[in-house]
């Protein structure tokens, strides 16, 4: 189950409440000294919200390995340091479903579908203002980046939220709120095919 949505939309919280194993796709960010990292247009800030800041190939390989063996090794990423600080094992045992969540999850919907490992793909959406507030308070509490950086990023993402959701749904994720997402998770866990009434999921 791929779970995407704008930063601060509640993906991690939904994953925790679902009771399902969770693979954190944000741990597959590139490190801060990677020369391929994109920059925000007209700025010296690294654009951590651009898909090119993320290692999609390694993330897909981890998903496939989890589906095939029930276990994989993943990097441990420290957002405040923009660096991988170690590695950890993720094990899901014999559970038929797990969540892979992160802001770039929609980027790999088609690849996961083609590889036969996709149950459903969801895009959480809660509205630009609510998302801005939740994201800023979370990032401030966790000391992810400097306050000026968080404000610049937050303002930029708030203005872009509708286009972010539109892009993720165009890539194959189903836009929904938390309650509907929980319902689709339950259906997928029970082995039912998800409805596709509002988007191509």
């Amino acid at each position: 189950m791929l779970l995407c949505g704008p930063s601060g939309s509640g993906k991690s919280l939904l994953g925790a409440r679902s009771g399902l194993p969770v693979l954190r796709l944000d741990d597959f960010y590139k490190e801060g000294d990677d020369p391929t990292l994109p920059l925000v247009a007209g700025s010296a800030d690294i654009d951590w919200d651009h898909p090119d800041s993320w290692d999609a190939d390694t993330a897909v390989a981890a998903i496939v390995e989890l589906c095939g063996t029930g276990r994989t090794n993943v990097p441990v990423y420290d957002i405040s340091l923009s660096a991988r600080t170690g590695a950890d094992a993720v094990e899901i045992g014999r559970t038929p479903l797990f969540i892979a969540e992160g802001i770039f999850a929609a980027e790999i919907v088609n690849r996961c579908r083609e590889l036969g490992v996709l149950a459903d793909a969801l895009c959480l959406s809660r509205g630009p203002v609510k998302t801005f507030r939740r994201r800023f308070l979370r990032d401030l509490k966790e000391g992810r980046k400097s306050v000026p950086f968080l404000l610049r990023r937050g303002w930029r993402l708030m203005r872009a939220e509708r286009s972010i959701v539109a892009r993720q749904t165009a890539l194959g994720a189903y836009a929904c709120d938390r309650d509907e997402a929980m319902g689709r998770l339950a259906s997928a866990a029970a082995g039912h095919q998800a409805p596709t009434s509002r988007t191509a999921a």
Side-chain angles (χ1 to χ4, degrees):
M1 174 72 70
L2 291 175
L3 180 60
C4 62
S7 175
S9 58
K11 298 179 294 297
S12 298
L13 182 59
L14 179 66
R17 288 181 175 177
S18 73
L20 294 170
V22 175
L23 175 67
R24 288 173 32 88
L25 296 179
D26 287 355
D27 282 330
F28 295 92
Y29 266 117
K30 296 176 181 177
E31 298 196 82
D33 59 356
D34 191 311
T36 67
L37 285 169
L39 299 179
V40 176
S43 168
D45 289 342
I46 293 173
D47 190 351
W48 296 108
D49 299 288
H50 193 288
D52 287 347
S53 68
W54 186 65
D55 187 350
D57 291 340
T58 305
V60 170
I63 289 171
V64 171
E65 186 173 25
L66 264 182
C67 290
T69 69
R71 187 184 187 281
T72 191
N73 289 320
V74 299
V76 175
Y77 195 91
D78 188 322
I79 292 178
S80 66
L81 299 175
S82 303
R84 296 177 180 182
T85 58
D88 200 3
V90 174
E91 298 189 22
I92 63 171
R94 296 184 177 182
T95 179
L97 188 71
F98 68 93
I99 294 173
E101 65 90 1
I103 63 173
F104 300 123
E107 303 294 324
I108 57 175
V109 168
N110 285 334
R111 290 171 66 176
C112 288
R113 181 180 289 119
E114 291 169 358
L115 290 165
V117 296
L118 181 67
D120 199 1
L122 306 179
C123 172
L124 283 187
S125 178
R126 53 194 292 146
V129 175
K130 288 182 179 179
T131 303
F132 171 88
R133 181 177 181 276
R134 185 182 185 282
R135 176 176 54 241
F136 180 74
L137 292 176
R138 176 203 66 191
D139 292 352
L140 189 64
K141 179 181 179 180
E142 296 179 4
R144 293 191 171 192
K145 301 292 180 185
S146 69
V147 172
F149 179 92
L150 294 178
L151 289 171
R152 291 195 301 271
R153 177 178 182 249
W155 175 249
R156 185 174 71 251
L157 291 179
M158 184 174 70
R159 296 175 64 189
E161 178 154 332
R162 288 184 176 85
S163 64
I164 292 171
V165 172
R167 172 180 168 79
Q168 294 182 350
T169 55
L171 288 170
Y174 178 86
C176 56
D177 61 17
R178 182 187 63 192
D179 292 341
E180 188 174 7
M182 289 296 288
R184 288 176 74 101
L185 283 170
S187 293
H192 302 309
Q193 185 173 4
T196 57
S197 56
R198 291 202 326 236
T199 189

